[in-house]
Amino acid sequence: MSHPFRDRTAIVGVGHSPCSKTPTISPYLNTVRTLKQAIADAGLEPSDIDGVCALATGGEPSPLDMVQALGLPGVTWYGGGLGGGVGPGLVANAAMAVASGLCTTAIAYRTMAVPRPGDGTYNFFGPAKLGGAANFIQPYGHGVFMQYFAAWYQRKRKVFGVTDEQMGAYVTAMRDNATRNPHAVLGKPMTMDEYLACPYVAEPLRRFDCDMPVDVSGAVIVTTAERARDLRQKPVYISSVSTGTGPRPHMAFWHDYDQSAAHFAAKTIWKNAGMGPEDMDFGMIYDGFAPLVLYNLEEYGFVPKGEAGRFLGDGGHLRDGAFPLNPHGGNNSEGRSHAIGHMVEATQQLRGQAGARQLKKANTTFVNGGAIMLAGAVVLHN
Amino acid sequence: MDRPLPVIDDINRDCWEGARNNRLVIYRCGECRYWIHPPLEACPQCQSERVAGEEVSGKGAVYSWSVMYSKGNPGFDHKLPYATVIVELPEQEHLFTIGNIDCDPKDIEIGMPLEVTFEKINDEVTLPQWRPATGAAR
């Protein structure tokens, strides 16, 4: 029997602001404009929205702010939170709310902003006064987020033999894809030599392995499959969603660096979708740190454990490869949007509206967010 | 800016009192004997609130590491580059602690045997640290 959630909801509208490495407009205004864009894309009016979903961190306006901004009399559902690695997790939340009748048409968004003067160092997560796990981390100079991931990546490299050239094959391909994406902030080609010459930020992690903070906003509108068929755009159906995390709340003290949160999100996604990884035409794989792609490809079953490095080295991820990844250039080239950019690109590809980026075969895709502590995934088809 | 120091409280006091006396102390459940690090007020395996510090062997092995090249950690910018190690303690599978290591980062390998050392910061705080095991009985 089909899973009761399968294909009950669809994405009917998307919005995506320009990306900028320097401050532009306020996160509030960026969000309002992007929500308007998504509502217009769907052929809806703001008054059709009765569900709102966002994480509301880092200066992002809250769902309550956006209820006011859209002039809504009120909504029957609002939500958000960290579940599902942000972008895809927010869409998963919206789809669950629509499927369960809490609302009819929900808008999910993620807005991020370059640090403004006085905002402090983006990457330092340390409080002024230590407490909890930080007591056992920061006295050792291990308090910058990328260090947590660098230690994961180091182990991945040593245990599974991942090479610089394999990760370079990923990053250079993203820069090539980004040449076709007007949103990308790093939209110029990169050679392997340039990648290999890139300095470390926290060895083995290179600067080019990291995405960068940008001003960006993305929005996705989800409604019922029935309603979607009457709207302007070709519906993009949501086959299944999943979220997951593991048994520890901290990336540095995670229970097992060889088993990320994606392992748990992967347990239900394919069974509920009625499809498998082999049925996906392309992958929208989260790459806030480029080596996260290794974990996501393996845990969701696209390649056997330990084989993701070889897959990249062989060019499987290229536009004309066996399983193209992130035709928009990923967060690695577009900028840090916590995978809401992946959701927008997935939708545009499945509608056939991706312009110069359009893949030849784009009827099914898999989008994920997070990887290490937080994981979420969405399976889509047209 | 100096490096941040631990705030000693009722949850973690045994660890820092131990370190002050050059003993590596990790919290452990008094009911099911599960080791807990960083310390928590209740055991994540059996939810018992009877948790207390116990001295461990002081041995460990490198589970992973990274070498920091970027500014951002208060008190560490002048030490760049430096290594931080994820140390797996032999008392329990995947019982991790974090520290700095007294060796050339180029010599670090996964599984490398380590032994604890102690770095006195002030009268209240001593930090457990790590060095390659000498092989001598401790």
Side-chain angles (χ1 to χ4, degrees), chain A residues 167-183:
Chain A
M167 278 323 303
Y170 176 77
V171 173
T172 54
M174 289 303 105
R175 299 303 157 96
D176 179 66
N177 288 349
T179 62
R180 300 172 196 86
N181 179 1
H183 289 313

PDB file of all heavy atoms in Angstrom, chain A residues 167-183:
ATOM      1  N   MET A 167      38.038  15.701  -3.895  1.00  0.00           N
ATOM      2  CA  MET A 167      37.242  16.857  -3.467  1.00  0.00           C
ATOM      3  C   MET A 167      37.398  18.011  -4.445  1.00  0.00           C
ATOM      4  O   MET A 167      36.465  18.765  -4.686  1.00  0.00           O
ATOM      5  CB  MET A 167      37.636  17.305  -2.059  1.00  0.00           C
ATOM      6  CG  MET A 167      36.994  16.526  -0.930  1.00  0.00           C
ATOM      7  SD  MET A 167      35.268  16.003  -1.178  1.00  0.00           S
ATOM      8  CE  MET A 167      34.444  17.549  -1.489  1.00  0.00           C
ATOM      9  N   GLY A 168      38.593  18.134  -5.030  1.00  0.00           N
ATOM     10  CA  GLY A 168      38.810  19.162  -6.042  1.00  0.00           C
ATOM     11  C   GLY A 168      37.918  18.939  -7.251  1.00  0.00           C
ATOM     12  O   GLY A 168      37.422  19.896  -7.858  1.00  0.00           O
ATOM     13  N   ALA A 169      37.672  17.677  -7.585  1.00  0.00           N
ATOM     14  CA  ALA A 169      36.789  17.371  -8.718  1.00  0.00           C
ATOM     15  C   ALA A 169      35.377  17.857  -8.421  1.00  0.00           C
ATOM     16  O   ALA A 169      34.659  18.315  -9.331  1.00  0.00           O
ATOM     17  CB  ALA A 169      36.781  15.871  -8.996  1.00  0.00           C
ATOM     18  N   TYR A 170      34.979  17.770  -7.162  1.00  0.00           N
ATOM     19  CA  TYR A 170      33.655  18.285  -6.799  1.00  0.00           C
ATOM     20  C   TYR A 170      33.615  19.812  -6.917  1.00  0.00           C
ATOM     21  O   TYR A 170      32.749  20.380  -7.581  1.00  0.00           O
ATOM     22  CB  TYR A 170      33.247  17.856  -5.377  1.00  0.00           C
ATOM     23  CG  TYR A 170      31.919  18.476  -5.008  1.00  0.00           C
ATOM     24  CD1 TYR A 170      30.733  17.957  -5.505  1.00  0.00           C
ATOM     25  CD2 TYR A 170      31.856  19.636  -4.233  1.00  0.00           C
ATOM     26  CE1 TYR A 170      29.520  18.561  -5.234  1.00  0.00           C
ATOM     27  CE2 TYR A 170      30.646  20.252  -3.955  1.00  0.00           C
ATOM     28  CZ  TYR A 170      29.479  19.706  -4.453  1.00  0.00           C
ATOM     29  OH  TYR A 170      28.279  20.311  -4.207  1.00  0.00           O
ATOM     30  N   VAL A 171      34.561  20.468  -6.260  1.00  0.00           N
ATOM     31  CA  VAL A 171      34.501  21.931  -6.180  1.00  0.00           C
ATOM     32  C   VAL A 171      34.656  22.566  -7.567  1.00  0.00           C
ATOM     33  O   VAL A 171      33.920  23.492  -7.917  1.00  0.00           O
ATOM     34  CB  VAL A 171      35.564  22.466  -5.192  1.00  0.00           C
ATOM     35  CG1 VAL A 171      35.624  23.987  -5.237  1.00  0.00           C
ATOM     36  CG2 VAL A 171      35.245  21.985  -3.775  1.00  0.00           C
ATOM     37  N   THR A 172      35.575  22.059  -8.372  1.00  0.00           N
ATOM     38  CA  THR A 172      35.751  22.644  -9.709  1.00  0.00           C
ATOM     39  C   THR A 172      34.490  22.442 -10.562  1.00  0.00           C
ATOM     40  O   THR A 172      34.126  23.315 -11.358  1.00  0.00           O
ATOM     41  CB  THR A 172      36.982  22.063 -10.424  1.00  0.00           C
ATOM     42  OG1 THR A 172      36.875  20.629 -10.446  1.00  0.00           O
ATOM     43  CG2 THR A 172      38.271  22.455  -9.721  1.00  0.00           C
ATOM     44  N   ALA A 173      33.821  21.314 -10.381  1.00  0.00           N
ATOM     45  CA  ALA A 173      32.560  21.094 -11.121  1.00  0.00           C
ATOM     46  C   ALA A 173      31.484  22.080 -10.675  1.00  0.00           C
ATOM     47  O   ALA A 173      30.691  22.566 -11.490  1.00  0.00           O
ATOM     48  CB  ALA A 173      32.070  19.663 -10.918  1.00  0.00           C
ATOM     49  N   MET A 174      31.444  22.385  -9.376  1.00  0.00           N
ATOM     50  CA  MET A 174      30.452  23.353  -8.898  1.00  0.00           C
ATOM     51  C   MET A 174      30.713  24.728  -9.495  1.00  0.00           C
ATOM     52  O   MET A 174      29.794  25.450  -9.865  1.00  0.00           O
ATOM     53  CB  MET A 174      30.458  23.424  -7.366  1.00  0.00           C
ATOM     54  CG  MET A 174      29.888  22.202  -6.686  1.00  0.00           C
ATOM     55  SD  MET A 174      28.175  21.787  -7.175  1.00  0.00           S
ATOM     56  CE  MET A 174      28.469  20.371  -8.241  1.00  0.00           C
ATOM     57  N   ARG A 175      31.999  25.107  -9.584  1.00  0.00           N
ATOM     58  CA  ARG A 175      32.305  26.415 -10.154  1.00  0.00           C
ATOM     59  C   ARG A 175      31.928  26.456 -11.632  1.00  0.00           C
ATOM     60  O   ARG A 175      31.463  27.475 -12.134  1.00  0.00           O
ATOM     61  CB  ARG A 175      33.790  26.758  -9.969  1.00  0.00           C
ATOM     62  CG  ARG A 175      34.222  26.823  -8.520  1.00  0.00           C
ATOM     63  CD  ARG A 175      33.387  27.830  -7.716  1.00  0.00           C
ATOM     64  NE  ARG A 175      33.434  27.508  -6.300  1.00  0.00           N
ATOM     65  CZ  ARG A 175      34.267  28.058  -5.439  1.00  0.00           C
ATOM     66  NH1 ARG A 175      35.116  28.964  -5.833  1.00  0.00           N
ATOM     67  NH2 ARG A 175      34.228  27.701  -4.173  1.00  0.00           N
ATOM     68  N   ASP A 176      32.095  25.329 -12.316  1.00  0.00           N
ATOM     69  CA  ASP A 176      31.668  25.271 -13.715  1.00  0.00           C
ATOM     70  C   ASP A 176      30.146  25.395 -13.805  1.00  0.00           C
ATOM     71  O   ASP A 176      29.615  26.176 -14.605  1.00  0.00           O
ATOM     72  CB  ASP A 176      32.143  23.962 -14.358  1.00  0.00           C
ATOM     73  CG  ASP A 176      31.694  23.875 -15.803  1.00  0.00           C
ATOM     74  OD1 ASP A 176      32.173  24.697 -16.608  1.00  0.00           O
ATOM     75  OD2 ASP A 176      30.852  23.012 -16.131  1.00  0.00           O
ATOM     76  N   ASN A 177      29.415  24.656 -12.958  1.00  0.00           N
ATOM     77  CA  ASN A 177      27.954  24.771 -12.961  1.00  0.00           C
ATOM     78  C   ASN A 177      27.523  26.200 -12.652  1.00  0.00           C
ATOM     79  O   ASN A 177      26.543  26.702 -13.207  1.00  0.00           O
ATOM     80  CB  ASN A 177      27.353  23.826 -11.909  1.00  0.00           C
ATOM     81  CG  ASN A 177      27.461  22.365 -12.317  1.00  0.00           C
ATOM     82  OD1 ASN A 177      27.796  22.053 -13.451  1.00  0.00           O
ATOM     83  ND2 ASN A 177      27.179  21.474 -11.378  1.00  0.00           N
ATOM     84  N   ALA A 178      28.254  26.835 -11.758  1.00  0.00           N
ATOM     85  CA  ALA A 178      27.870  28.182 -11.315  1.00  0.00           C
ATOM     86  C   ALA A 178      27.998  29.220 -12.431  1.00  0.00           C
ATOM     87  O   ALA A 178      27.376  30.283 -12.363  1.00  0.00           O
ATOM     88  CB  ALA A 178      28.716  28.606 -10.117  1.00  0.00           C
ATOM     89  N   THR A 179      28.784  28.917 -13.466  1.00  0.00           N
ATOM     90  CA  THR A 179      28.884  29.865 -14.581  1.00  0.00           C
ATOM     91  C   THR A 179      27.531  30.039 -15.264  1.00  0.00           C
ATOM     92  O   THR A 179      27.315  31.017 -15.973  1.00  0.00           O
ATOM     93  CB  THR A 179      29.918  29.421 -15.638  1.00  0.00           C
ATOM     94  OG1 THR A 179      29.501  28.161 -16.197  1.00  0.00           O
ATOM     95  CG2 THR A 179      31.311  29.273 -15.037  1.00  0.00           C
ATOM     96  N   ARG A 180      26.607  29.097 -15.043  1.00  0.00           N
ATOM     97  CA  ARG A 180      25.265  29.166 -15.657  1.00  0.00           C
ATOM     98  C   ARG A 180      24.220  29.677 -14.680  1.00  0.00           C
ATOM     99  O   ARG A 180      23.028  29.633 -14.959  1.00  0.00           O
ATOM    100  CB  ARG A 180      24.852  27.770 -16.162  1.00  0.00           C
ATOM    101  CG  ARG A 180      25.783  27.205 -17.209  1.00  0.00           C
ATOM    102  CD  ARG A 180      25.472  25.746 -17.560  1.00  0.00           C
ATOM    103  NE  ARG A 180      26.594  25.147 -18.252  1.00  0.00           N
ATOM    104  CZ  ARG A 180      27.629  24.581 -17.637  1.00  0.00           C
ATOM    105  NH1 ARG A 180      27.644  24.465 -16.317  1.00  0.00           N
ATOM    106  NH2 ARG A 180      28.633  24.107 -18.331  1.00  0.00           N
ATOM    107  N   ASN A 181      24.669  30.103 -13.490  1.00  0.00           N
ATOM    108  CA  ASN A 181      23.732  30.531 -12.449  1.00  0.00           C
ATOM    109  C   ASN A 181      23.951  32.001 -12.116  1.00  0.00           C
ATOM    110  O   ASN A 181      24.935  32.363 -11.469  1.00  0.00           O
ATOM    111  CB  ASN A 181      23.942  29.679 -11.195  1.00  0.00           C
ATOM    112  CG  ASN A 181      23.010  30.075 -10.063  1.00  0.00           C
ATOM    113  OD1 ASN A 181      22.177  30.976 -10.214  1.00  0.00           O
ATOM    114  ND2 ASN A 181      23.153  29.402  -8.925  1.00  0.00           N
ATOM    115  N   PRO A 182      23.034  32.860 -12.553  1.00  0.00           N
ATOM    116  CA  PRO A 182      23.240  34.290 -12.279  1.00  0.00           C
ATOM    117  C   PRO A 182      23.245  34.628 -10.790  1.00  0.00           C
ATOM    118  O   PRO A 182      23.736  35.699 -10.409  1.00  0.00           O
ATOM    119  CB  PRO A 182      22.054  34.952 -12.998  1.00  0.00           C
ATOM    120  CG  PRO A 182      21.072  33.870 -13.277  1.00  0.00           C
ATOM    121  CD  PRO A 182      21.826  32.589 -13.330  1.00  0.00           C
ATOM    122  N   HIS A 183      22.715  33.748  -9.935  1.00  0.00           N
ATOM    123  CA  HIS A 183      22.736  34.009  -8.499  1.00  0.00           C
ATOM    124  C   HIS A 183      24.105  33.746  -7.866  1.00  0.00           C
ATOM    125  O   HIS A 183      24.379  34.201  -6.757  1.00  0.00           O
ATOM    126  CB  HIS A 183      21.727  33.110  -7.774  1.00  0.00           C
ATOM    127  CG  HIS A 183      20.296  33.478  -8.021  1.00  0.00           C
ATOM    128  ND1 HIS A 183      19.836  34.762  -7.938  1.00  0.00           N
ATOM    129  CD2 HIS A 183      19.230  32.715  -8.348  1.00  0.00           C
ATOM    130  CE1 HIS A 183      18.535  34.771  -8.201  1.00  0.00           C
ATOM    131  NE2 HIS A 183      18.148  33.555  -8.468  1.00  0.00           N
TER     132      HIS A 183
END
